[in-house]
Coordinates of all heavy atoms in Angstrom, one line a residue:
D224 N 107.1 101.3 107.1 CA 106.6 100.9 105.8 C 105.4 101.8 105.3 O 105.3 102.1 104.2 CB 106.1 99.4 105.8 CG 107.3 98.5 106.0 OD1 108.4 98.8 105.6 OD2 107.1 97.4 106.5
Y225 N 104.5 102.1 106.3 CA 103.3 102.7 105.9 C 103.2 104.2 106.2 O 102.4 105.0 105.8 CB 102.1 102.1 106.6 CG 101.9 100.6 106.2 CD1 102.3 99.6 107.1 CD2 101.5 100.3 104.9 CE1 102.2 98.2 106.7 CE2 101.3 98.9 104.6 CZ 101.7 97.9 105.4 OH 101.6 96.6 105.1
G226 N 104.2 104.7 107.0 CA 104.3 106.1 107.3 C 103.2 106.7 108.3 O 102.6 105.9 109.0
I227 N 103.1 108.0 108.3 CA 102.2 108.7 109.2 C 101.1 109.3 108.3 O 101.4 110.0 107.3 CB 102.9 109.7 110.0 CG1 104.0 109.1 110.9 CG2 102.0 110.5 110.9 CD1 104.9 110.1 111.6
T228 N 99.9 109.2 108.8 CA 98.8 109.8 108.0 C 98.2 111.0 108.9 O 97.9 110.9 110.1 CB 97.6 108.8 107.8 OG1 98.1 107.7 107.0 CG2 96.5 109.5 107.0
L229 N 98.1 112.2 108.2 CA 97.5 113.4 108.9 C 96.1 113.6 108.5 O 95.7 113.4 107.3 CB 98.3 114.6 108.5 CG 99.8 114.6 108.7 CD1 100.4 116.0 108.3 CD2 100.2 114.3 110.1
T230 N 95.2 113.9 109.5 CA 93.8 114.2 109.2 C 93.4 115.4 110.0 O 94.2 115.9 110.8 CB 92.9 113.0 109.6 OG1 93.0 112.8 111.0 CG2 93.3 111.7 109.0
G231 N 92.2 115.9 109.7 CA 91.7 117.1 110.4 C 92.1 118.4 109.7 O 92.9 118.4 108.8
G232 N 91.4 119.4 110.0 CA 91.6 120.7 109.4 C 93.1 121.2 109.5 O 93.6 121.8 108.5
G233 N 93.7 121.0 110.6 CA 95.1 121.4 110.8 C 96.1 120.7 109.9 O 97.2 121.3 109.6
A234 N 95.7 119.6 109.4 CA 96.6 118.9 108.4 C 96.7 119.6 107.1 O 97.6 119.4 106.3 CB 96.1 117.5 108.2
L235 N 95.7 120.5 106.9 CA 95.7 121.3 105.6 C 96.6 122.5 105.7 O 96.8 123.2 104.7 CB 94.3 121.7 105.2 CG 93.3 120.5 105.1 CD1 91.9 121.1 104.7 CD2 93.8 119.6 104.0
L236 N 97.2 122.8 106.9 CA 98.2 123.9 107.0 C 99.3 123.6 106.1 O 99.9 122.5 106.1 CB 98.6 124.1 108.4 CG 99.7 125.2 108.7 CD1 99.0 126.6 108.6 CD2 100.3 125.0 110.1
R237 N 99.7 124.5 105.2 CA 100.8 124.2 104.3 C 102.1 123.8 104.9 O 102.5 124.3 105.9 CB 101.0 125.5 103.4 CG 100.0 125.7 102.3 CD 100.3 126.8 101.4 NE 100.4 128.1 102.2 CZ 101.1 129.1 101.8 NH1 101.8 129.1 100.7 NH2 101.1 130.2 102.6
R238 N 102.6 122.7 104.4 CA 103.9 122.2 104.8 C 103.9 121.6 106.2 O 105.0 121.3 106.7 CB 105.1 123.2 104.6 CG 105.3 123.7 103.2 CD 106.6 124.3 103.0 NE 106.7 125.6 103.6 CZ 106.3 126.7 103.1 NH1 105.8 126.8 101.9 NH2 106.5 127.9 103.7
M239 N 102.7 121.3 106.7 CA 102.7 120.6 108.0 C 103.3 119.2 107.8 O 104.0 118.7 108.7 CB 101.2 120.5 108.5 CG 101.0 119.7 109.8 SD 102.0 120.3 111.2 CE 100.8 121.6 111.8
D240 N 103.0 118.5 106.7 CA 103.5 117.2 106.5 C 105.0 117.2 106.4 O 105.8 116.3 106.8 CB 102.9 116.5 105.2 CG 103.0 117.4 104.0 OD1 103.2 118.6 104.1 OD2 102.8 116.9 102.9
V241 N 105.6 118.3 105.8 CA 107.0 118.5 105.6 C 107.7 118.6 107.0 O 108.7 118.1 107.3 CB 107.3 119.7 104.7 CG1 108.8 120.0 104.7 CG2 106.8 119.5 103.3
A242 N 107.0 119.4 107.9 CA 107.6 119.7 109.2 C 107.7 118.4 110.0 O 108.7 118.1 110.7 CB 106.7 120.7 110.0
I243 N 106.6 117.5 110.0 CA 106.7 116.3 110.7 C 107.6 115.3 110.1 O 108.3 114.6 110.8 CB 105.2 115.7 110.8 CG1 104.3 116.6 111.6 CG2 105.2 114.3 111.4 CD1 102.9 116.2 111.7
A244 N 107.7 115.3 108.7 CA 108.6 114.4 108.0 C 110.1 114.7 108.4 O 110.9 113.9 108.6 CB 108.4 114.5 106.5
Q245 N 110.4 116.0 108.4 CA 111.8 116.5 108.8 C 112.1 116.1 110.2 O 113.3 115.7 110.5 CB 111.9 118.0 108.6 CG 111.9 118.5 107.2 CD 111.9 120.0 107.1 OE1 111.7 120.7 108.0 NE2 112.2 120.5 105.9
A246 N 111.1 116.1 111.1 CA 111.4 115.8 112.5 C 111.5 114.3 112.8 O 112.2 113.9 113.7 CB 110.3 116.4 113.4
T247 N 110.8 113.5 112.0 CA 110.8 112.0 112.3 C 111.6 111.2 111.3 O 111.9 110.0 111.6 CB 109.3 111.6 112.2 OG1 108.7 111.8 110.9 CG2 108.5 112.3 113.3
G248 N 111.8 111.7 110.1 CA 112.5 110.9 109.0 C 111.6 109.9 108.4 O 112.0 109.0 107.7
L249 N 110.3 110.0 108.6 CA 109.3 109.1 108.1 C 108.5 109.7 106.9 O 108.4 110.9 106.8 CB 108.3 108.6 109.2 CG 108.9 107.8 110.3 CD1 107.9 107.7 111.5 CD2 109.4 106.5 109.9
H250 N 107.9 108.8 106.1 CA 107.0 109.3 105.1 C 105.7 109.8 105.7 O 105.1 109.1 106.6 CB 106.7 108.2 104.1 CG 105.6 108.6 103.1 ND1 105.8 109.6 102.2 CD2 104.3 108.1 102.9 CE1 104.7 109.7 101.4 NE2 103.8 108.8 101.9

């Protein structure tokens, strides 16, 4: 329901959220 939240400087790497979403199928 609530998904995964990324924090820290590494979270600002472009498309990091996309990479994790593709691997987990979560928001």
